Amino acid sequence: MVQIRLLDQNCRFSDEYYPVLTDLSRPGFRSRTFSCLWFWNPLTSLCLPQERAWLKNIFLFIGRYLSPCCSDPAPSSAEGSLTGVEQLSIRLVLEIQQRSSVNHSLPVSYRLLSVSELVSQQNLACVSNLSWTTNQHRSWAKEAELSLSGHQALQRVNLLLIGCLTKGRGVDWSLTDSSGSVRCEVLSPSPLWMNLPVFLPDWNYIPHDASGQDVDRGHLELIGCPVFLGPEAEHGLAAAADGAELEAVPVSEAGVFLQNRVRGQRVSVHGQVCSVCPLLDVSGTPFFCFSLTDSESSLPVLVQKPSRLWWRTCVHVGRSVCVTSLRVCVLRGWRGNNILCVTELSQLHSDYTNTHTQTHTPDTHPEMDTPFLMSHGCEEEEPDFNQSGVRMKRSRIISYQGTVTEVVSKGAGLYVLDRKLGLCAAYQPASRRSLRVGDGVELHHVHFLFRPCPDFPPSILCTCLRSSVTVTSFSRVGVSDSAPRCPGDGVLSRLLLQKHMGVSEYLWACHLSSQLSISLVPAVMKQQCVCLLSWKMMKTLRGRRAPTRRDIYCEMLDQPHTCPLSQYSVDPAVHQNLSVLDLVRSLQSLCWSSLSLRSLLPPAGRSLSRSEIRSGLSWSFRTLVSDPQKGDSLRPRPLLLVGVLELPPHSSEFSPTLQLRDATGSVGCVVTETNREEGGGETACYNTAWIGCLVCVLQFSMVTERFLQSEFPSVDHLDQENFITFRDSRVYLQFSLDHLIILSPSVTMVTYLKQKGEEPADDVTDEHEDHPKEEQRWKRKRREGNDDSSDSSSSDVMTAVSVGGASQSCVSMVIRVEQKGGLVWKNTEGAELQLCFSLRAAVIGPVVSWRRDPKNKPLTEEEVEPGREHKVQLQFSGVCSRWFPVLQSGRLYRVLMVQVPFELSSHEASGNNRAELLSDSILQVGSDWRFHTLPRPLLLPSCLQATPPVLSVSQVMDNRSELVCFQGQITERISVDDGNTEPGNTGVRLTLCDPTGRSVRAYLDLSHAPYPPGLLPGSSVLLSDFQRKVSRSGGVYFTNLPVSSMTVMSLGAESLAPPPHPPMMHLGQWGVKGQKENVMGLVRGHVVCFLFLQLQWSCSTCSSVYTQVCSSNCGSSSAVFRSRAKLVIDDGTGEAHVWVSGVVVQTLLGLADFQWEGLQRWLKVKGHLRVLPGRRSLVCDSEEPLLHFLLSMCSSEAVRRPVCLTCRRHAPSRAPDLRRFSRSDRDFITRLTPPLQLTCVHLHS
């Protein structure tokens, strides 16, 4: 006996011995077995040592791993003396030698591997192909990588696998040996392959994914057919198991058995498979259905037996099969209809051909012959409209064959085929093997949808419970490590099956989830909550259509077919989510690329000088709205933003505003809200409960302010960027809190909503019952302290702080803000510049100590002492200045602090007299202080005391106080450049008006304050502590002081309405007392005559007369044309001298454009012309034709017509003078008032 030492699993020799060859001299053995195993090469008498060792390992491997799984085959006549191990070894070596790419030697580089070794040791996706040469593999890998760019081909390994094909879990197949089993994916298996020993010459192995969702830790993919090692392979696999012919009836005849059900009757049916449904599990019972058809009819077959579920991979659409021993049963879920069911005795025979009848079976699905059915005729069908007005369309049933080119989301069942066609498999239960990039697939009975969601490819294929997805070829590339665009945890697909939403809504939720996973994770929330959050937003924004409940049996078996995918909604204007970073970058890129400098200048821009062009271009803004139907927008679809509303960070450039933050960045926000306590008007944001809330902003405005410093000589040089010396921009948002959806409320917001009687929005994790424990712990941590937001209880209040009491862990006082100072930069002790502001407030009660943080609980009796108030001044500096956007005058706030301020303690320790004397305390706000907005108590009159009154523009013009507080709407904003390059150091002139049309100007010096956003035309602003001044002409204007503050009270409309007209003024009364404050006015009268007309070409730099060159020799080579005139206007109450310029002169003279341009060309050489009607005209060189033309125009009847002008009043140039008049023989001396001097601002048509 020859004994050989065995190899263990690590290919090392062990101490066991196994009898390999019992007798080398046995007749017949030396010529067959020994020559095959030891002397394979017929040209030599002995094998090479490595080949001998290789053959030895094969023999030992089969004896250890394959033979225990197979029963010994019956000995054949030729090899009756060989054992089962010997026969398997010979068969395997013959098959290896036949398929090997090496012709003259054994493939010793390949080694057999057990299933347990494969699963435990192979951690990378790989491919093995015995017939490949090195060049063939390189060509294969190159072709795979070129066809799928961005992916790497599978790594090649020289490994061989043998085992038995057995039934796995459910519909799966497995490759099994004595060490274990691994799930095996087979393209087109035959039922006769079951439990046969096989050799796999070419296969792919895909290990478990990194997320650990694959419980089997990996699976095999059989590239080709397996090689059978048993003797059954010699007899043909297509024969029946018992060798007898099958007596089966066609489908058309089997229908009789369904109509006449007989107990115990069995029937065998043959036909062509026309549909295969996915495996379902209802109440713990797995099953699937498939339908057979012939030329006349079709019938369904139900497979419910666990031992027959693996048939699911053997029945493919278009395949002829025969199923035996079927019984007729009643399917109660399908309205009690009869159906054929598989029994324990049933057998499946694939590729069946009926030899008795030659019945031609036409294809009942002719579309299967056409792999690409991409006709767009479906979108041209007449859409239906349901009651809510949503556009509905019907889908088409097609078949398709293609290649997976992108995995959008494995968990959500979203893929891309052939780079142009979407695939949604979410309406089917997820299979254990997900599709990979590069898989060839064949789809039958799928729904073709056109543009169900604008975020996906226009053409979408959706699978229902009657659709079948068959893999026709396995991918040749590895699994990509890139994160999917949608979280692949399957939450959305599970919610879809539970909530029965439409496919359009589901696709939108998947795309939103992929975007939120980037913009919110991990800075705002955890990955597990993103899908739930997107589902919640989908129900809020798109849940208008009532979900339809699915009937799974009717969906699989009914004819004609109906399912939730038969109709789908089409809405091209669905919301589009943007991250904060993408929004800011888009606005910044459009800031200058879409800007036309000429559009920023007035229509008469050609007559502007260098300084006027500089002033006109120094500041501009552009406002885009989120909804394109309401104005200019950034995208063609409505936008939405998701983020956390927070106080501004200390280093933010938008310190005066709140911030909207997500994981990508933050953006400043000018926020307003509805003042429900004062009639529902719009006011600045004051509720601190919004801080920390995760919100969705539905309606907002995107503002881009541009700051430009330039030296353009004229408008003809605007396209030359070398004249631009500095430019900058600021981007921020404007919205009202009424246009927000609270996705995850803060603790204080929950308390606030309960006080209003509204149901607070739950956290997104509350809507899913199966979320992991990790999410529950995160939710509890996030809502820590939620119990503190319950209703107020006197047990929470310990006591009012006693005289000289010790510091408590949580103390509070309630203040009423009376006036808020401006936010300015100040030097602090031992530090650099810091932002600071102050509040004047009244403490309406004592300092109260709390056992727990009261946050924004309702006001308690212990916190209020009627008739006893302390005036304090709170100083905010550094990081504390973040509270500036939410602290507003007239509001109540609970101030939480760690310990009692010293000043307040002294007040409590002293008597009332001392408290009154030292009432104006100054408190430095600490970084740990918190402010919570409280509602105004109706039963406490002391809390309702009015703050300093807010005046309107009309009232403030008549007011004589030096410091005033007034509110108005911005109608004009002009940047006053002081020569500095930084836009924050420029001054601003605002023109404000009220509904009466009266207007006033306010001048802002921003050299020591951060730049205030939101000061745009159309917005209403509150100016506090502004200094009132009177100009030389008697007009009133206002300037800011270091204590002045500006607050945006209401936002301008998306489509900015024109400002109200100034008040109508009578010329005879405009200059009298009481009317001098009206600087602007509307005048209606008629033109009496022209007093003065001047036409001149001026140097754009020095404004000197320009002929061929500048008359002052400044060196400038550009000139502008200017026109100026003075005319007399009479309205019946008096006369006024009105100065007009620019295009207004052309309009009043009644000249056409070509006449005006010809006039300019005529004067370009002469320089200037001055016409004094009724007097001697001054001309550079006498031009009689031109002079007579202008004189005739100034005195023509066409000029003397009614006009309507918006004018600005000048300051009186001189005092009234005495004039002598003679009548007959008498002289009269009277005092004449100088005529009213006005400048025309606008000529109304």
Side-chain angles (χ1 to χ4, degrees):
M1 179 184 296
V2 178
Q3 294 180 337
I4 301 176
R5 301 177 67 185
L6 286 176
L7 298 175
D8 61 11
Q9 294 184 2
N10 296 323
C11 299
R12 295 173 298 183
F13 285 100
S14 63
D15 294 333
E16 296 185 34
Y17 288 84
Y18 186 83
V20 179
L21 303 177
T22 56
D23 190 359
L24 295 179
S25 62
R26 190 169 56 188
F29 181 83
R30 186 176 185 86
S31 62
R32 295 188 304 272
T33 307
F34 191 76
S35 63
C36 291
L37 296 180
W38 294 90
F39 302 104
W40 179 261
N41 193 340
L43 301 178
T44 60
S45 59
L46 295 175
C47 295
L48 297 177
Q50 59 268 27
E51 293 179 343
R52 185 175 302 181
W54 184 80
L55 292 172
K56 184 191 305 180
N57 291 336
I58 287 181
F59 190 86
L60 297 175
F61 187 92
I62 292 177
R64 181 170 184 177
Y65 293 104
L66 183 60
S67 180
C69 300
C70 306
S71 57
D72 290 337
S76 62
S77 59
E79 297 181 354
S81 59
L82 298 181
T83 63
V85 176
E86 295 169 353
Q87 292 185 26
L88 292 174
S89 302
I90 295 173
R91 182 83 178 181
L92 176 60
V93 173
L94 287 173
E95 295 293 345
I96 292 176
Q97 180 65 15
Q98 181 179 355
R99 287 166 172 78
S100 175
S101 60
V102 182
N103 297 326
H104 305 291
S105 62
L106 296 175
V108 294
S109 61
Y110 285 81
R111 69 181 181 94
L112 287 173
L113 192 70
S114 66
V115 171
S116 62
E117 288 178 317
L118 177 69
V119 173
S120 61
Q121 298 179 10
Q122 187 63 38
N123 297 323
L124 298 177
C126 59
V127 59
S128 178
N129 195 317
L130 182 62
S131 61
W132 274 348
T133 63
T134 302
N135 292 334
Q136 288 176 338
H137 172 257
R138 290 176 180 174
S139 176
W140 176 88
K142 183 178 180 180
E143 180 182 354
E145 293 176 356
L146 289 177
S147 61
L148 298 169
S149 59
H151 296 79
Q152 292 185 352
L154 293 171
Q155 296 184 2
R156 184 185 181 186
V157 294
N158 294 342
L159 299 175
L160 302 176
L161 292 177
I162 59 174
C164 290
L165 290 177
T166 59
K167 181 179 72 69
R169 189 176 66 180
V171 300
D172 296 330
W173 291 61
S174 297
L175 181 69
T176 305
D177 62 10
S178 62
S179 65
S181 62
V182 62
R183 182 162 59 91
C184 188
E185 298 289 340
V186 190
L187 293 179
S188 183
S190 171
L192 299 178
W193 294 1
M194 188 62 66
N195 300 320
L196 293 183
V198 295
F199 158 59
L200 306 182
D202 44 4
W203 46 269
N204 299 335
Y205 178 70
I206 309 300
H208 68 282
D209 54 11
S211 61
Q213 297 174 7
D214 191 351
V215 296
D216 293 333
R217 301 183 300 167
H219 66 273
L220 277 175
E221 296 175 348
L222 269 63
I223 301 177
C225 292
V227 178
F228 299 95
L229 302 179
E232 289 84 355
E234 300 176 0
H235 303 296
L237 296 174
D242 53 1
E245 288 188 3
L246 299 175
E247 296 182 359
V249 298
V251 174
S252 57
E253 299 179 8
V256 180
F257 296 96
L258 291 179
Q259 299 175 1
N260 303 317
R261 181 188 176 195
V262 179
R263 182 179 296 273
Q265 187 180 31
R266 300 292 184 267
V267 61
S268 299
V269 181
H270 69 84
Q272 189 179 41
V273 180
C274 61
S275 67
V276 182
C277 302
L279 181 69
L280 301 180
D281 192 328
V282 177
S283 301
T285 303
F287 68 93
F288 76 93
C289 299
F290 65 93
S291 298
L292 298 178
T293 185
D294 57 11
S295 59
E296 300 179 3
S297 61
S298 64
L299 56 84
V301 178
L302 174 65
V303 182
Q304 193 175 3
K305 296 296 181 182
S307 59
R308 298 295 187 269
L309 294 179
W310 56 272
W311 286 8
R312 172 65 179 76
T313 58
C314 298
V315 287
H316 295 163
V317 175
R319 197 171 190 178
S320 297
V321 298
C322 177
V323 188
T324 64
S325 299
L326 295 174
R327 68 182 180 92
V328 180
C329 61
V330 177
L331 187 58
R332 294 186 178 88
W334 188 30
R335 298 187 296 269
N337 293 334
N338 293 339
I339 191 173
L340 294 177
C341 296
V342 172
T343 63
E344 290 291 347
L345 301 178
S346 299
Q347 298 292 330
L348 176 67
H349 301 274
S350 60
D351 300 327
Y352 176 81
T353 302
N354 189 3
T355 59
H356 294 280
T357 59
Q358 298 179 357
T359 303
H360 175 65
T361 305
D363 191 358
T364 59
H365 294 271
E367 67 271 16
M368 292 189 303
D369 296 334
T370 307
F372 296 97
L373 290 179
M374 301 296 293
S375 172
H376 297 290
C378 56
E379 73 271 14
E380 298 175 359
E381 298 175 3
E382 186 68 24
D384 298 330
F385 292 88
N386 62 7
Q387 296 180 356
S388 60
V390 179
R391 185 183 179 187
M392 303 295 296
K393 296 177 69 173
R394 293 187 177 275
S395 62
R396 296 174 56 192
I397 304 298
I398 67 169
S399 297
Y400 187 84
Q401 185 175 4
T403 302
V404 179
T405 54
E406 182 182 357
V407 178
V408 179
S409 171
K410 180 175 65 175
L414 299 177
Y415 308 89
V416 175
L417 304 180
D418 301 325
R419 293 187 176 89
K420 60 182 178 181
L421 187 65
L423 173 62
C424 175
Y427 280 79
Q428 284 188 354
S431 61
R432 297 183 67 184
R433 183 197 181 274
S434 301
L435 296 179
R436 295 191 295 116
V437 174
D439 283 343
V441 293
E442 187 177 288
L443 311 175
H444 293 278
H445 203 280
V446 293
H447 294 260
F448 177 84
L449 286 67
F450 188 72
R451 298 192 185 280
C453 180
D455 297 309
F456 284 85
S459 301
I460 299 290
L461 298 181
C462 291
T463 60
C464 64
L465 294 183
R466 198 171 182 181
S467 307
S468 62
V469 181
T470 305
V471 178
T472 58
S473 61
F474 294 116
S475 174
R476 296 185 290 180
V477 297
V479 181
S480 176
D481 296 332
S482 60
R485 294 188 296 176
C486 180
D489 53 0
V491 174
L492 288 174
S493 58
R494 291 196 298 268
L495 288 172
L496 175 66
L497 297 177
Q498 296 173 5
K499 306 298 182 181
H500 312 290
M501 295 301 294
V503 62
S504 301
E505 291 79 8
Y506 175 74
L507 293 176
W508 185 82
C510 291
H511 181 73
L512 179 63
S513 179
S514 65
Q515 292 184 317
L516 295 182
S517 63
I518 299 174
S519 62
L520 297 182
V521 178
V524 179
M525 64 193 318
K526 290 186 177 294
Q527 179 71 54
Q528 295 86 345
C529 303
V530 171
C531 293
L532 301 174
L533 178 63
S534 61
W535 188 267
K536 178 178 180 180
M537 294 178 60
M538 183 271 295
K539 291 196 304 181
T540 303
L541 301 177
R542 304 198 61 192
R544 295 169 293 178
R545 188 161 63 103
T548 57
R549 189 170 182 84
R550 301 177 69 180
D551 189 332
I552 60 174
Y553 299 104
C554 294
E555 187 174 336
M556 291 187 296
L557 306 174
D558 266 359
Q559 290 289 354
H561 173 72
T562 57
C563 70
L565 296 174
S566 300
Q567 287 187 349
Y568 61 98
S569 62
V570 177
D571 188 5
V574 295
H575 286 82
Q576 180 181 3
N577 176 71
L578 286 182
S579 66
V580 172
L581 181 60
D582 291 340
L583 178 71
V584 173
R585 286 180 176 176
S586 299
L587 293 176
Q588 290 177 345
S589 64
L590 289 177
C591 175
W592 303 107
S593 61
S594 62
L595 175 63
S596 173
L597 296 180
R598 192 178 297 271
S599 64
L600 303 179
L601 300 176
R606 301 190 64 87
S607 62
L608 298 179
S609 64
R610 183 193 299 261
S611 60
E612 292 172 334
I613 294 176
R614 183 193 307 117
S615 177
L617 300 179
S618 60
W619 177 86
S620 60
F621 77 101
R622 184 186 184 187
T623 301
L624 302 176
V625 296
S626 59
D627 191 351
Q629 297 181 355
K630 298 181 179 180
D632 295 337
S633 182
L634 190 63
R635 296 286 192 273
R637 292 161 48 193
L639 300 179
L640 60 85
L641 296 174
V642 177
V644 179
L645 208 57
E646 292 182 345
L647 293 174
H650 181 54
S651 59
S652 174
E653 62 175 350
F654 293 105
S655 298
T657 63
L658 292 176
Q659 301 281 308
L660 184 69
R661 180 185 62 85
D662 62 7
T664 63
S666 61
V667 63
C669 305
V670 179
V671 184
T672 61
E673 62 178 300
T674 301
N675 186 4
R676 294 179 174 84
E677 298 178 354
E678 297 180 359
E682 193 175 7
T683 184
C685 174
Y686 63 89
N687 192 352
T688 58
W690 287 93
I691 299 174
C693 292
L694 179 64
V695 297
C696 172
V697 189
L698 294 180
Q699 296 183 24
F700 57 93
S701 299
M702 299 156 281
V703 181
T704 304
E705 294 190 25
R706 298 175 289 243
F707 306 91
L708 185 69
Q709 291 189 358
S710 62
E711 295 295 335
F712 291 106
S714 66
V715 293
D716 297 330
H717 299 80
L718 293 179
D719 56 344
Q720 302 179 20
E721 294 190 357
N722 57 307
F723 291 103
I724 298 177
T725 59
F726 175 83
R727 62 182 176 185
D728 192 13
S729 63
R730 295 180 186 271
V731 175
Y732 57 91
L733 306 180
Q734 292 186 148
F735 55 83
S736 173
L737 295 178
D738 299 333
H739 300 151
L740 268 60
I741 298 177
I742 302 176
L743 302 177
S744 182
S746 62
V747 177
T748 53
M749 178 56 70
V750 173
T751 306
Y752 172 72
L753 294 178
K754 289 182 178 179
Q755 293 174 7
K756 291 175 54 180
E758 299 179 6
E759 187 67 22
D762 295 331
D763 197 275
V764 291
T765 55
D766 292 341
E767 297 191 10
H768 191 50
E769 299 177 357
D770 301 329
H771 55 273
K773 295 182 179 180
E774 180 182 357
E775 296 180 39
Q776 297 179 359
R777 290 194 300 268
W778 177 77
K779 187 182 83 171
R780 288 195 299 267
K781 181 178 179 181
R782 189 180 182 277
R783 288 197 169 185
E784 188 176 4
N786 197 20
D787 294 338
D788 298 341
S789 60
S790 58
D791 294 338
S792 177
S793 174
S794 59
S795 61
D796 293 339
V797 183
M798 295 175 60
T799 179
V801 175
S802 59
V803 176
S807 299
Q808 302 294 333
S809 59
C810 182
V811 294
S812 71
M813 63 179 179
V814 179
I815 64 172
R816 183 185 67 250
V817 178
E818 295 184 346
Q819 197 153 5
K820 181 173 71 169
L823 190 64
V824 296
W825 293 100
K826 289 185 179 180
N827 286 317
T828 58
E829 297 181 1
E832 56 185 9
L833 287 175
Q834 287 188 347
L835 285 174
C836 304
F837 75 98
S838 62
L839 285 182
R840 293 203 304 269
V843 181
I844 64 174
V847 178
V848 177
S849 178
W850 300 80
R851 292 190 180 95
R852 294 184 298 178
D853 187 352
K855 298 188 183 299
N856 59 336
K857 288 182 179 179
L859 200 62
T860 61
E861 297 179 357
E862 290 82 358
E863 295 180 277
V864 179
E865 290 186 0
R868 184 181 180 184
E869 294 184 354
H870 303 299
K871 304 295 183 180
V872 296
Q873 185 174 0
L874 302 180
Q875 296 288 345
F876 296 77
S877 62
V879 69
C880 302
S881 62
R882 301 187 308 155
W883 294 98
F884 182 83
V886 292
L887 299 179
Q888 309 297 343
S889 300
R891 302 295 171 183
L892 291 180
Y893 297 91
R894 178 182 283 125
V895 186
L896 298 176
M897 60 202 86
V898 176
Q899 61 183 3
V900 183
F902 175 79
E903 290 82 354
L904 290 181
S905 299
S906 64
H907 291 173
E908 295 290 343
S910 306
N912 291 336
N913 294 333
R914 182 172 177 79
E916 293 177 0
L917 291 175
L918 301 180
S919 59
D920 292 334
S921 306
I922 298 179
L923 300 180
Q924 184 67 37
V925 176
S927 59
D928 57 345
W929 289 26
R930 298 293 179 266
F931 293 80
H932 296 287
T933 307
L934 299 177
R936 295 178 181 177
L938 300 178
L939 301 179
L940 295 177
S942 61
C943 298
L944 301 178
Q945 295 180 1
T947 55
V950 178
L951 306 177
S952 65
V953 172
S954 299
Q955 293 171 340
V956 78
M957 293 179 68
D958 300 330
N959 193 282
R960 293 296 184 265
S961 300
E962 184 179 1
L963 295 181
V964 294
C965 177
F966 67 100
Q967 182 175 339
Q969 182 184 9
I970 301 176
T971 59
E972 183 185 24
R973 168 175 168 163
I974 295 178
S975 180
V976 182
D977 190 1
D978 58 358
N980 296 323
T981 58
E982 292 295 333
N985 292 334
T986 60
V988 175
R989 189 190 75 187
L990 300 178
T991 302
L992 296 92
C993 72
D994 58 8
T996 64
R998 301 184 68 180
S999 61
V1000 70
R1001 290 179 175 179
Y1003 294 85
L1004 311 179
D1005 181 11
L1006 305 179
S1007 58
H1008 301 290
Y1011 183 79
L1015 302 181
L1016 305 177
S1019 299
S1020 179
V1021 294
L1022 173 65
L1023 304 182
S1024 301
D1025 288 336
F1026 268 63
Q1027 186 177 15
R1028 183 181 185 273
K1029 292 185 177 182
V1030 180
S1031 65
R1032 292 177 297 176
S1033 62
V1036 177
Y1037 67 98
F1038 298 89
T1039 59
N1040 68 322
L1041 301 174
V1043 295
S1044 303
S1045 65
M1046 296 159 290
T1047 306
V1048 178
M1049 304 298 291
S1050 65
L1051 305 175
E1054 288 83 359
S1055 57
L1056 184 61
H1061 292 297
M1064 179 68 68
M1065 303 301 299
H1066 297 292
L1067 297 179
Q1069 301 177 0
W1070 198 348
V1072 302
K1073 184 178 180 181
Q1075 300 291 337
K1076 293 183 177 180
E1077 292 82 0
N1078 294 320
V1079 180
M1080 298 287 295
L1082 188 66
V1083 176
R1084 293 182 183 272
H1086 69 278
V1087 179
V1088 177
C1089 64
F1090 271 78
L1091 299 178
F1092 172 82
L1093 174 63
Q1094 177 176 317
L1095 307 176
Q1096 176 179 325
W1097 281 96
S1098 302
C1099 176
S1100 61
T1101 303
C1102 64
S1103 300
S1104 301
V1105 177
Y1106 194 97
T1107 53
Q1108 299 297 330
V1109 294
C1110 179
S1111 60
S1112 62
N1113 298 323
C1114 68
S1116 175
S1117 59
S1118 60
V1120 295
F1121 181 78
R1122 291 182 174 180
S1123 59
R1124 191 182 183 195
K1126 183 180 181 181
L1127 58 151
V1128 178
I1129 300 293
D1130 189 350
D1131 67 347
T1133 64
E1135 290 185 352
H1137 293 182
V1138 181
W1139 291 88
V1140 296
S1141 60
V1143 294
V1144 180
V1145 177
Q1146 176 190 354
T1147 306
L1148 292 176
L1149 291 176
L1151 297 178
D1153 291 340
F1154 73 93
Q1155 293 175 321
W1156 189 250
E1157 293 175 358
L1159 188 62
Q1160 296 179 29
R1161 290 194 300 268
W1162 192 281
L1163 284 176
K1164 198 161 190 179
V1165 178
K1166 304 303 180 182
H1168 72 284
L1169 172 67
R1170 184 176 301 173
V1171 180
L1172 300 175
R1175 303 182 187 178
R1176 182 173 178 272
S1177 299
L1178 302 180
V1179 189
C1180 292
D1181 294 325
S1182 179
E1183 296 289 345
E1184 292 298 334
L1186 180 60
L1187 177 61
H1188 288 301
F1189 172 75
L1190 293 177
L1191 285 173
S1192 62
M1193 290 298 300
C1194 292
S1195 58
S1196 64
E1197 292 295 332
V1199 171
R1200 301 171 183 175
R1201 64 180 186 273
V1203 292
C1204 181
L1205 308 173
T1206 298
C1207 298
R1208 182 180 299 277
R1209 183 171 57 85
H1210 291 189
S1213 59
R1214 65 182 188 273
D1217 53 353
L1218 296 177
R1219 294 289 299 273
R1220 180 185 299 270
F1221 296 92
S1222 298
R1223 290 295 183 266
S1224 299
D1225 56 347
R1226 296 188 179 184
D1227 293 337
F1228 299 91
I1229 298 178
T1230 181
R1231 188 182 301 274
L1232 293 180
T1233 303
L1236 184 64
Q1237 301 292 321
L1238 304 176
T1239 297
C1240 177
V1241 177
H1242 180 68
L1243 174 64
H1244 302 275
S1245 58

